[in-house]
């Protein structure tokens, strides 16, 4: 077989031609995509599992029979485990072992997170915050009197009476409850009789909100974990917490597998609308990913000890996770199906824990101000402060909240994908090999940069630029005078780094010898434009909020989100991306949405607070705001056409 | 093939030898078991579906391969419909078409209700009772303002606000509710956006208890049905009611398919304990039967319009229906898993209606005083009366309630199966061909009797005696002096009807020429013993209750249940089966448990009343009562060794 076929690996998008007959796993490696394997390619470890896309994707007509049919070993291996993978959300008809399937036509292959050899670093670490631990679920150990002919009370009634007695003894501060108000759902009812008798009437019960029995075990048991889940469009993070100590016992994250259907929420909404099975595919991808993270985080612990789950995410992620249509989130007036906080069972949602466990989703303020923003509010607490705090959660879409204990305003604006490294010539996510920090020497115009280490690669070699580095680079180019306030390359500067490329003027950040891709990595005039458009949208949104609040500037600016953590505050100010504010009053807080999920997980009363705060948010609609367009146009200039940026005054080219 | 094999058909128990190679359906007919067929035995109608038992049952080692293997026509027919039957609760591995499968070994065949040619008459008709209709679920029609950029409220929030407005306008008397308290479950959430927009923001919502949205339809819709289900050990009845008018629009009943696992609750409990899959088999049989009845009752109506379900049944049926172990109901201290009323979703229970629909199970007073008794209480309302009412629900087990608005006592006693026609030489259920009424002429000692008409048989010919006729016969034998107060045949009576049979003395009720079985049908001395044992248990239980209440006799006696409806009050008194009481104060009320289910279905407030009344019931435990055994022994005599029965005094032999 000497014919050649186009092969694309998702979600990385790596693409190339390979000769027919090559194993998918070898093809992947030849294109720089690492796929796991433990069993030396004899179809017994299953680490190299991939999904064959069916239909036209990434411009390639990919069919299931564009790879060779299964042999007996692969058929046997996959057949035996079909149930497991189905539960994990995989479409089993499309599953193949990449060490067995050979290319025999053009094909698009999705490599699930579990199979990737070189997993991406996702900057979603739980930050240290003091959280008062008052969980929704706790264990009670009860020693009950066995029934007798004189006392033949039903099991539930006996247990409820015992629980109320124990609660009073422990004094949990719970409201008094009638035994009749203690609830038990059907799965627990079904095993209750056996557990009570197996434990000789000494049992532990997991009780939610002081009155819902969601688990029962013989004897003494006190392990209780909860999962805080942050459903990002790009990455999904899960923090497994000990519900007694509040400690994070495991933090796991992975790329959102929905990226196979589109990098941003709008393309996923489009996918849902175009494909009749699209919503279910997106839902099961998200639920499957959370189940994968749960499995990893649980490790050697008992899955049955996971007794509570809290989920945050933007409105689209929230809806897709629950199987609610996201269609109406894509067009005005951007109406969600539901805004309020939801309490659903793990069974209904499809999470692989005890089906009686509650899954709490924080409330949503609006179509584009989602439960992730609610999480940020819980973590940042502007409603408890006097200072006027501007909180910006930056991503493909930016959500902004401004205010203090008196009033809270919110809005959102699409910023385009530039901040996430997309639509940038050599842009990439914050993954190994990405340039993440950039400085430019004002005398020599020579750059200095740092690269996210690639465990498998040569240290220091770059393969692209991530969002924070693009901000750095454009801000530095402005500061040292390579570009002017209009974002144009200043003519007549002598530097080997500045040249005319195919797309117009560009500044060479890394020469080909400094890269793993064998090509120069420049910042192009187009890249500068993308940054201007993105920062102008963000700035204009902030201005409208300030105007609504009757303020000239905020007292503090909080940059939330994984991307926000990477932004250099000085550079953000230099670009005029955020309103003027003392540099030392600009803070990056990392994954505040995830922190908010953890707070809500560990303290049930903070969930009520979240609902209350979201109810008080005043939403400012930018598309209907007459000044937004004007602000946007003026903000295209660096740092701004009319507003002064005194905070970084000495650094400005004019200074 | 001239070999012969033993074939047993369940649930009737008909048994016989047939030559090898005979079709199951022909074998059934030869043993008097009719199986449906519409397609002239060419494997296309499926009406003759049967299940082949696997393992040893009814003393026969039955194997799936004791019938001939499937041919292509049968395989094709069954294969295509496997999903349907699986949903109906059948084990598809054991399904065969009885027009195709031929006998080639000993085999036990279960004939599902749907396949029976000559279905049993089940005396479970809804009786006329005035019920105030205040259902738990009703439709609201809402015309909502479409969302706009100025008013982009979420769908649920918009709907909840509209519902509260509509409720206030209609003035349903519901307590004021905050929009946040209106709940919507996940299946409804998932279709809400499409329905709202499809209906142009004019929708109908089905609302439970004024606050739970369980269905949504575009435009105007007001059809609402509810199902009241009476899970009897022997028969299951379902009344489909219009929730607006309260009218019964369809009443359906069938034999309880659990009879395949045992005629009474004790043998089913034993089955559950002996067979690891027994509980699930019993559960799915019961749920499958209710789904069959639902399907029949719904007919041309929309299944989605069934919006509420109420279920009653004895404690064992209640537990088995929910998949709760019945094991501990079989041994002292007879403890149920749960006594309180339960509200579960149809989805969790497995009923084939909208999964969001609530299934309400009335509360249980004790292991042997179940939700069926609660239904009887709702229907008979002793707690609203001044008179001391004794309510007896007679079956294999008898539940007794005594009292009035001041106090209510309850107890239960096993009476043995004699009252249901079992353990009686020629006993049978109240089915076509059963003698149901008996009188004996005191001068000639000749009997007169009536037979339940058999549409297919010759009028008047009998094939057995049902429970009510056994009471009649023994009472009449006593009245005319054939047996004495000890239940012994009086010596020296000259009558061709009285003779010595294999089992001792007997009275020939029907000569062989009057039967379809070609044999005489006598009442034997053993039958008289069985009646004495049963009536003594019932009477002794009533006496203990009367003593506890400080009463000598009740003001009224109510005989509930299908069997109770057939009992002649005079004969019951003549036998001393019930305490002495004026004959005109003894009433048979038919299926009061089913009526109670209908009442609870149509009036949600009566559910609260039921819980309250059950909470007030004082349980009297007979096994620990020192006087019960003495009462029992004295009550073996007819009518009783020491208590006088003045109500039927003139009829007593001594008079």
């Amino acid at each position: 077989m000497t014919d050649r076929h186009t092969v694309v690996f998702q979600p990385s998008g790596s693409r190339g031609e390979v000769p027919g007959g090559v194993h998918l796993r070898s093809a992947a490696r030849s294109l720089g995509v690492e796929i796991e394997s433990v069993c030396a390619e004899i179809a017994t470890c299953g680490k190299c599992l991939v999904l064959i896309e069916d239909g036209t994707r990434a411009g390639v007509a990919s069919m299931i029979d564009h790879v060779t049919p299964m042999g007996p070993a692969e058929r046997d291996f996959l057949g035996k485990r079909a149930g497991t993978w189905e539960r994990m959300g995989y479409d089993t008809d499309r599953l193949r072992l990449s060490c067995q399937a050979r290319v025999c036509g053009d094909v698009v292959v999705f490599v699930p997170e579990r199979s990737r050899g070189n997993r991406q670093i996702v900057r979603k670490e739980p930050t240290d915050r003091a959280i008062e631990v008052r969980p929704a679920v706790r264990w009670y150990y009860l020693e009950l009197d066995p029934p007798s002919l004189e006392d033949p009370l039903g099991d539930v009634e006996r247990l409820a009476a015992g629980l109320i007695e124990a609660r009073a003894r422990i004094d949990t501060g719970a409201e008094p409850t009638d035994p009749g108000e203690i609830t038990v759902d059907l799965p627990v009812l079904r095993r209750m009789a056996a557990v009570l008798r197996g434990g000789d009437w000494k049992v532990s019960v997991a009780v939610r909100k002081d009155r819902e029995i969601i688990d029962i075990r013989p004897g003494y048991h006190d392990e209780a974990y909860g999962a805080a889940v942050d459903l990002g469009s790009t990455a999904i993070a899960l923090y497994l917490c000990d519900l007694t100590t509040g400690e994070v016992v495991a933090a796991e994250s992975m790329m959102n597998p929905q990226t196979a259907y589109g990098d941003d929420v709008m393309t996923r909404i489009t996918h849902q609308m175009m494909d009749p099975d699209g919503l279910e595919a997106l839902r099961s991808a998200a639920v499957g990913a959370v189940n994968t993270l749960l499995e990893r985080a649980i490790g050697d612990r008992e899955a049955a000890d996971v007794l509570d789950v809290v989920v945050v995410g933007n409105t689209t992620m929230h809806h897709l996770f629950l199987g609610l249509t996201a269609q109406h989130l894509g067009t005005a007036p951007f109406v969600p199906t539901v805004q309020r906080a939801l309490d659903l069972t793990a069974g209904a949602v499809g999470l692989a824990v005890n089906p009686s466990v509650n899954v709490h989703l924080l409330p949503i303020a609006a179509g584009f101000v989602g439960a992730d923003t609610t999480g940020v509010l819980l973590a940042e607490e502007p409603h408890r402060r006097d200072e006027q705090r501007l909180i910006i959660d930056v991503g493909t879409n930016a959500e902004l909240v401004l205010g203090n204990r008196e009033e809270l305003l919110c809005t959102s604006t699409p910023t385009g994908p530039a901040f996430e490294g997309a639509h940038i010539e050599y842009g990439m996510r914050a993954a190994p090999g990405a340039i993440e920090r950039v400085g430019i020497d004002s005398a020599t115009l020579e750059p200095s940069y740092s690269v996210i280490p690639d465990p498998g690669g040569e240290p220091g070699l770059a393969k692209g630029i991530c969002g924070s580095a693009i901000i750095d680079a454009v801000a530095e180019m402005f500061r040292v005078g390579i570009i002017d306030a209009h974002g144009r390359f200043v003519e007549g500067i002598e530097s080997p780094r500045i040249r005319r490329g195919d797309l117009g003027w560009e500044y060479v950040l890394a020469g080909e010898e400094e890269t793993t891709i064998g090509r120069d990595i420049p910042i192009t005039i187009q890249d500068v434009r993308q940054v201007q458009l993105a920062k102008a949208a963000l700035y204009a949104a902030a201005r409208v909020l300030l105007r609504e609040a009757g303020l000239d500037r905020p007292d503090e600016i909080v940059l939330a989100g994984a991307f926000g953590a990477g932004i250099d505050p000085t550079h953000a100010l230099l670009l005029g991306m955020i309103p003027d504010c003392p540099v030392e009053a600009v803070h990056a807080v990392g994954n505040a949405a995830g922190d908010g999920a953890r707070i809500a997980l560990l303290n049930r009363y903070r969930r009520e607070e979240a609902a209350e705060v979201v109810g008080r948010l005043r939403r400012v609609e930018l598309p209907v705001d007459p000044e937004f367009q004007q602000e946007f146009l003026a903000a295209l200039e660096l740092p701004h056409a009319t507003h002064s940026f005194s905070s970084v005054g000495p650094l400005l080219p004019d200074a």
Side-chain angles (χ1 to χ4, degrees), chain A:
Chain A
M1 288 191 270
T2 54
D3 48 335
R4 293 180 70 81
H5 305 288
T6 300
V7 181
V8 180
F9 288 91
Q10 300 286 24
S12 69
S14 303
R15 164 195 298 257
E17 276 197 355
V18 300
V22 164
H23 280 136
L24 286 179
R25 187 161 177 273
S26 312
R29 177 172 291 159
S30 73
L31 298 173
V33 175
E34 281 300 321
I35 298 181
E36 289 264 13
S37 178
V38 167
C39 74
E41 308 199 336
I42 56 163
T44 57
C45 81
K47 297 280 180 198
C48 71
L49 204 71
V50 296
L51 288 124
I52 310 301
E53 299 289 355
D54 196 10
T56 298
R57 290 193 197 268
V60 174
S62 172
M63 304 290 290
I64 286 154
D65 59 6
H66 287 185
V67 293
T68 50
M70 284 192 204
E74 184 181 4
R75 183 180 310 282
D76 182 43
F77 181 85
L78 291 174
K80 279 183 187 151
R81 291 157 184 83
T84 310
W85 287 319
E86 204 159 44
R87 274 194 300 280
M88 292 175 75
Y90 292 125
D91 177 351
T92 51
D93 290 337
R94 302 196 288 114
L95 280 184
R96 291 301 302 270
L97 294 179
S98 61
C99 70
Q100 301 295 314
R102 293 167 187 269
V103 175
C104 59
D106 294 353
V107 67
V108 177
V109 179
F110 182 73
V111 186
E113 168 84 4
R114 67 186 293 285
S115 304
R116 284 176 215 154
N118 191 0
R119 293 179 188 145
Q120 288 200 277
I121 292 172
V122 178
R123 283 188 183 153
K124 294 215 170 187
E125 296 294 325
T127 52
D128 281 333
R129 282 178 200 275
I131 304 170
E132 193 192 359
V133 180
R134 298 177 72 187
V137 179
R138 58 155 291 165
W139 286 101
Y140 287 86
Y141 173 66
L142 310 175
E143 299 195 347
L144 304 169
D145 293 327
S148 63
L149 278 173
E150 289 73 26
D151 170 22
L153 203 62
D155 292 347
V156 166
E157 286 66 30
R158 183 174 307 274
L159 196 65
L163 173 61
I164 286 174
E165 208 180 288
R167 251 178 44 181
R169 228 168 31 238
I170 295 167
D171 186 21
T172 58
E175 282 173 46
T177 312
D178 185 80
E181 293 175 66
I182 304 290
T183 65
V184 188
D185 76 357
L186 195 50
V188 180
L189 272 184
R190 285 179 174 157
R191 57 180 191 272
M192 178 169 285
V195 173
L196 282 170
R197 286 157 184 84
D200 198 19
W201 303 93
K202 296 173 185 61
V203 293
S204 300
V205 283
V207 183
R208 186 175 112 81
K209 289 196 160 181
D210 302 318
R211 58 177 65 187
E212 298 167 26
I213 296 179
I214 62 170
D215 199 5
I216 179 166
R217 309 282 180 90
Y220 181 82
H221 189 87
D222 67 1
E223 299 279 290
Y225 299 104
V229 181
D230 174 21
L231 293 174
S233 308
T234 304
I236 300 183
L238 181 144
Y239 309 121
L240 191 70
C241 303
D242 185 311
L243 290 183
T244 312
T245 64
E247 188 195 349
V248 175
V249 296
E252 293 287 342
S253 62
M254 64 188 281
M255 293 292 293
N256 185 336
Q258 291 178 337
T259 47
Y261 305 99
D263 268 338
D264 55 35
V265 298
M266 284 308 299
T267 51
R268 290 179 213 168
I269 292 172
T270 310
H271 176 76
Q272 186 222 302
M273 289 167 67
M274 305 309 283
D275 181 343
D277 302 322
L279 175 57
E280 177 52 23
L282 288 160
R283 187 199 69 78
S284 75
V287 170
V290 174
N291 282 336
T292 299
L293 294 177
L294 269 170
E295 194 188 347
R296 278 196 217 149
I298 289 167
D300 292 336
R301 296 174 195 91
E302 261 189 76
D305 287 338
V306 177
L307 294 169
D308 203 6
V309 178
V310 170
V311 177
V312 300
N314 65 51
T315 308
T316 303
M317 283 304 304
H318 168 286
H319 275 40
L320 294 177
F321 177 69
L322 296 179
L324 307 180
T325 179
Q327 179 177 353
H328 311 292
L329 298 172
T331 47
F334 313 105
V335 176
T337 289
V338 60
Q339 294 183 227
R340 62 174 62 177
L342 291 174
D343 286 300
L344 302 164
T345 63
V349 172
L351 294 187
V353 294
N354 171 349
S356 305
V357 159
N358 189 74
V359 179
H360 181 85
L361 291 106
L362 286 179
I364 286 166
F368 277 102
V369 183
D372 48 353
T373 303
T374 309
V376 171
L377 291 174
L378 262 193
E380 290 305 312
E381 306 181 339
H383 56 285
R384 294 185 177 192
R385 293 167 198 274
D386 293 320
E387 314 88 75
Q388 291 287 350
R389 188 170 256 209
L390 175 65
I391 303 171
I392 305 177
D393 196 347
V394 197
T396 309
N397 200 70
E399 293 86 42
L400 299 91
V401 175
L402 173 67
N404 61 5
R405 65 172 85 249
E406 309 269 306
E407 189 180 42
L408 285 171
L409 302 171
C410 73
T411 195
S412 72
T413 181
T415 49
F419 290 158
E420 297 210 321
H423 291 204
I424 296 292
E425 193 59 18
Y426 286 86
M428 65 179 287
R429 296 211 179 95
I435 294 175
E436 57 167 351
R437 282 266 81 90
V438 177
I440 301 180
D441 186 282
S442 49
T444 65
L445 304 188
E446 280 300 299
S448 57
Y449 57 81
S450 62
V451 174
I452 299 178
D454 186 339
E458 216 174 313
L461 293 192
K463 60 181 180 190
I465 320 170
C466 77
S468 61
I470 292 156
I471 305 284
D472 280 348
V474 176
E476 287 286 280
M477 286 161 71
F478 175 54
R479 183 180 65 79
V480 302
I482 297 172
I483 56 173
D484 65 15
H486 304 294
R488 290 182 299 227
F489 274 69
V490 175
E491 288 186 34
I493 298 182
E494 284 299 317
S495 163
R497 296 273 170 183
I498 299 168
R499 68 186 187 197
R500 257 194 180 283
D502 296 342
L503 302 165
W505 286 101
E506 59 189 29
Y507 172 80
V508 180
L509 196 55
E512 60 177 306
E513 72 291 353
E514 298 169 303
T515 71
T516 57
I517 56 175
R519 271 174 289 179
D520 293 345
I521 295 179
I523 301 289
T524 71
I525 181 74
Q526 302 297 345
D527 296 343
V528 175
R529 282 281 167 276
Q530 290 294 330
V531 169
Q532 282 176 285
L533 290 168
K535 78 100 186 177
L538 188 57
Y539 185 84
R543 286 301 331 160
V544 171
L545 279 194
L546 285 165
R547 185 206 63 206
E548 281 290 314
L551 297 173
D552 190 42
R553 58 174 64 193
D555 298 321
E556 297 174 340
I557 295 178
V558 170
L559 298 171
F563 170 67
I567 298 178
D568 177 329
T570 306
H571 285 156
L573 287 163
L574 255 178
L575 285 180
M577 182 175 145
I578 55 178
D580 196 22
C581 182
V583 175
E584 60 279 9
V586 181
H587 305 288
V589 294
N591 183 12
D595 288 348
R598 267 199 309 139
I599 291 168
L601 175 69
L602 294 175
N603 190 324
R604 60 193 260 208
Y605 301 98
R606 300 294 302 273
R607 300 180 195 178
E608 293 161 24
E609 179 184 326
E612 192 268 325
V613 174
V614 167
R616 274 167 46 196
L617 277 182
R618 181 151 73 82
R619 210 169 37 227
V620 178
E621 293 290 343
L622 296 183
V624 294
D625 191 288
E627 286 178 33
F628 178 72
Q629 203 57 27
Q630 292 172 34
E631 287 284 0
F632 176 76
L633 291 174
L636 285 170
E637 286 212 8
L638 306 178
H640 192 276
T642 53
H643 296 146
S644 89
F645 273 74
S646 57
S647 57
V648 287
L651 296 177
L652 292 173
D654 296 342

